[in-house]
C-alpha cells in the first residue's frame, strides 16, 4: 500500500514508522524546513505519565499511555523510567489530596523519601506522591531517533513540502496538529491552584520547565505574565532555579478537540490522526498502531474513531 503521511511531528513520525515496519510504502511530507522548525512536538516536556495525566483526563489516556510507554521503552534507549514525583508546598497540601483522589498507581511518600529520591529537595516538602512506573524522554532526541529509524528504512522526511492538495493515488494520513546547579533525576510536578508547574530533567543541568495551559491558537509568543508565573513557580520549587540561565523560551499550541481526547477521523478519504493535546509522546505509538490497523487491515476502533466527524472540531 502507498501512503502519504502529512506532518512530521511525533504523530506523523510514529505513524510513518509503524506503517513502514508493517510493509507499506510511505512518504512523509513536512512543511517546515527542519524538525527543529516544525510543530508543537519540539517544545514538549517529554513526560510519559499515563497515571499523573489522569488528574484531568480519563481511562482512555491511561490505557493508550501505558501501551505507548512500553513502546518507548522498547524502541528508544533514551527512555528513562524512574517515576514522577508530585509535591506541593505546605499551604497547598489540599492540592496533593485532590491529585491523589483523581489518580492511581502512586505511593504517598514522606519528606524523608522525597529527600532520598531527590536529595536537592531535602527539607523542602513534607509529603508527596510517587508514581514509580512513569517515565520521561527528551522529545528532540526521540523525534530524531524515530526519523533516523525511518531513514534506515529509506523513508526520508520531505521537508519544505506544504501539502495543500491531497496526494493522488495514495492513502493519506493527516498528522498536522496545530510547537545554578540543581539536580533532579525525574519529572517533578508542583501542584498549585493557579500556577501548577512541572520540571523535566534533560541531564547535565538542563531542565525543561512548563507549561502554561492557555486556551489560545496563538503559538508564537509567550506573554510576560506566563513567563513570570512559570519562573516564580520554578524558584519556589528550588531557589537554585533563580540562578539558572534561560537558554530558550518557546511556545507550542496543543491541538485538541473540545473533550481533549484523541481521534482517528475518516474525512473525505483521508484518515486524520489528531487531538493529541497534552499527551503526544504518551499516546502517539498506540495511535500509530491503530491508524495502521485501520489503513492496512480495515479495522475499527470505536473508542478513538469518530462516527460523525462533523460534530467535532479542533479546539
Ligand atoms: C509546552 C508543551 C509541553 C508538552 N509536554 C508534553 C509531555 O510532557 N508529554 C507528552 O506526551 N506530550 C506533551 N505535550 C504535547 C505534545 O507535544 C503534543 O501532543 C504533540 O507534539 C502533538 O504532536 P503532533 O504530531 O500531533 O503535532 P505537531 O508536533 O504540531 O506536528 C504537526 C506537524 O505537521 C506539520 N504540518 C502542518 N500542516 C502541514 C501541511 N499542510 N503540510 C505539511 N506539513 C504540515 C507541522 O509543520 C508540524 O511539523 C506538550 C506540548 C507543549 C506545547
Amino acid at each position: 500500500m502507498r501512503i502519504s503521511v502529512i506532518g512530521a511531528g511525533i504523530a506523523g513520525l510514529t505513524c510513518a514508522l509503524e506503517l513502514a515496519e508493517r510493509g507499506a510504502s510511505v512518504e512523509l511530507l513536512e512543511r517546515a524546513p527542519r524538525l527543529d522548525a516544525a510543530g508543537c512536538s519540539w517544545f514538549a516536556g517529554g513526560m510519559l505519565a499515563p497515571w499523573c495525566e489522569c488528574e484531568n483526563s480519563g481511562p482512555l489516556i491511561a490505557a493508550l499511555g501505558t501501551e505507548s510507554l512500553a513502546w518507548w521503552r522498547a524502541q528508544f534507549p533514551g527512555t528513562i523510567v524512574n517515576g514522577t514525583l508530585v509535591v506541593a508546598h505546605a499551604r497547598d497540601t489540599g492540592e496533593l489530596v485532590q491529585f491523589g483522589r483523581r489518580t492511581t498507581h502512586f505511593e504517598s511518600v514522606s519528606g524523608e523519601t522525597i529527600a532520598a529520591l531527590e536529595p536537592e529537595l531535602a527539607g523542602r516538602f513534607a509529603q508527596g506522591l510517587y508514581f514509580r512506573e512513569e517515565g520521561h524522554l527528551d522529545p528532540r532526541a526521540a523525534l530524531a531517533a524515530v526519523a533516523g529509524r525511518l531513514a534506515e528504512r529509506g523513508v526520508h522526511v520531505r521537508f519544505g513540502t506544504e501539502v495543500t492538495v491531497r496526494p493522488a493515488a495514495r492513502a493519506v494520513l493527516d498528522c498536522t496538529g496545530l510547537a545554578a546547579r540543581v539536580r533532579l533525576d525525574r519529572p517533578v510536578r508542583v501542584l498549585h491552584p493557579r500556577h501548577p508547574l512541572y520540571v523535566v530533567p534533560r541531564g547535565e543541568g538542563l531542565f525543561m520547565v512548563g507549561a502554561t495551559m492557555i486556551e489560545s491558537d496563538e503559538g508564537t509568543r509567550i506573554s510576560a505574565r506566563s513567563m513570570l508565573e512559570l519562573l516564580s513557580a520554578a524558584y519556589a520549587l528550588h531557589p537554585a532555579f533563580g540562578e539558572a540561565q534561560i537558554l530558550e523560551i518557546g511556545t507550542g499550541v496543543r491541538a485538541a478537540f473540545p473533550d481533549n481526547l484523541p481521534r482517528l477521523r475518516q474525512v473525505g478519504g483521508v484518515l486524520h490522526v489528531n487531538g493529541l493535546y497534552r499527551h503526544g509522546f504518551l499516546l502517539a505509538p498506540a495511535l500509530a498502531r491503530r491508524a495502521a490497523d485501520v489503513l492496512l487491515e480495515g479495522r475499527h476502533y470505536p473508542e478513538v474513531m469518530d462516527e460523525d466527524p462533523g460534530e467535532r472540531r479542533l479546539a
Side-chain angles (χ1 to χ4, degrees):
M1 190 170 192
R2 285 151 50 85
I3 301 170
S4 299
V5 178
I6 309 171
I10 194 57
L13 285 164
T14 50
C15 282
L17 183 60
E18 180 82 22
L19 289 163
E21 286 180 344
R22 288 163 69 165
S25 159
V26 179
E27 66 172 5
L28 180 50
L29 311 172
E30 167 58 51
R31 70 178 171 194
R34 302 175 311 275
L35 275 186
D36 66 358
C40 176
S41 300
W42 193 251
F43 292 108
M47 292 179 288
L48 303 173
W51 298 291
C52 274
E53 292 299 325
C54 285
E55 184 213 2
N56 44 30
S57 57
L60 178 64
I61 300 300
L64 294 173
T66 312
E67 182 180 326
S68 295
L69 179 54
W71 186 92
W72 282 114
R73 279 185 96 153
Q75 305 286 336
F76 178 55
T79 306
I80 300 168
V81 179
N82 66 352
T84 303
L85 187 58
V86 178
V87 294
H89 294 286
R91 62 184 172 278
D92 301 323
T93 44
E95 297 290 318
L96 210 53
V97 174
Q98 291 254 28
F99 197 94
R101 278 198 195 120
R102 293 193 208 111
T103 54
T104 58
H105 288 70
F106 63 83
E107 54 208 88
S108 297
V109 289
S110 63
E112 289 76 39
T113 308
I114 293 171
L117 287 167
E118 297 292 356
E120 300 282 344
L121 299 183
R124 304 192 64 79
F125 298 95
Q127 49 184 311
L129 308 176
Y130 181 37
F131 294 76
R132 185 183 290 276
E133 297 156 67
E134 292 190 338
H136 66 286
L137 49 71
D138 179 340
R140 298 175 184 189
L143 290 167
V146 180
R149 290 268 302 278
L150 277 166
E152 285 165 14
R153 294 188 159 267
V155 181
H156 297 276
V157 184
R158 285 173 51 195
F159 290 109
T161 312
E162 170 125 31
V163 179
T164 48
V165 181
R166 183 186 164 188
R170 302 180 73 99
V172 175
L173 209 59
D174 183 309
C175 302
T176 52
L178 255 194
R181 281 258 177 249
V182 50
R183 177 183 166 155
L184 301 174
D185 289 326
R186 55 186 54 71
V188 176
R189 298 177 180 225
V190 184
L191 307 180
H192 187 278
R194 289 182 310 287
H195 314 308
L197 171 91
Y198 58 75
V199 179
V200 189
R202 292 275 190 265
E204 298 181 358
L206 201 62
F207 297 91
M208 187 275 187
V209 174
T212 54
M213 284 196 285
I214 296 166
E215 299 274 329
S216 159
D217 56 10
E218 160 63 77
T220 53
R221 291 180 298 269
I222 185 170
S223 71
R225 180 176 169 163
S226 294
M227 191 74 220
L228 280 168
E229 288 172 358
L230 278 178
L231 293 181
S232 305
Y235 182 64
L237 170 67
H238 195 292
F241 281 111
E243 306 303 319
Q245 294 172 7
I246 300 170
L247 302 184
E248 185 180 337
I249 301 166
T251 61
V253 179
R254 309 170 182 99
F257 293 102
D259 61 5
N260 292 335
L261 292 175
R263 288 281 178 290
L264 304 185
R265 296 180 307 153
Q266 293 272 15
V267 184
V270 174
L271 184 64
H272 292 250
V273 181
N274 218 325
L276 278 67
Y277 184 44
R278 296 179 43 149
H279 321 289
F281 285 80
L282 181 62
L283 304 185
L287 291 173
R289 193 173 284 157
R290 284 159 180 72
D293 284 345
V294 171
L295 281 180
L296 304 179
E297 296 166 17
R299 285 185 62 179
H300 186 72
Y301 287 95
E303 75 277 16
V304 288
M305 290 188 73
D306 257 342
E307 295 303 332
D308 181 6
E311 286 295 301
R312 299 181 198 277
R313 289 183 304 107
L314 281 179

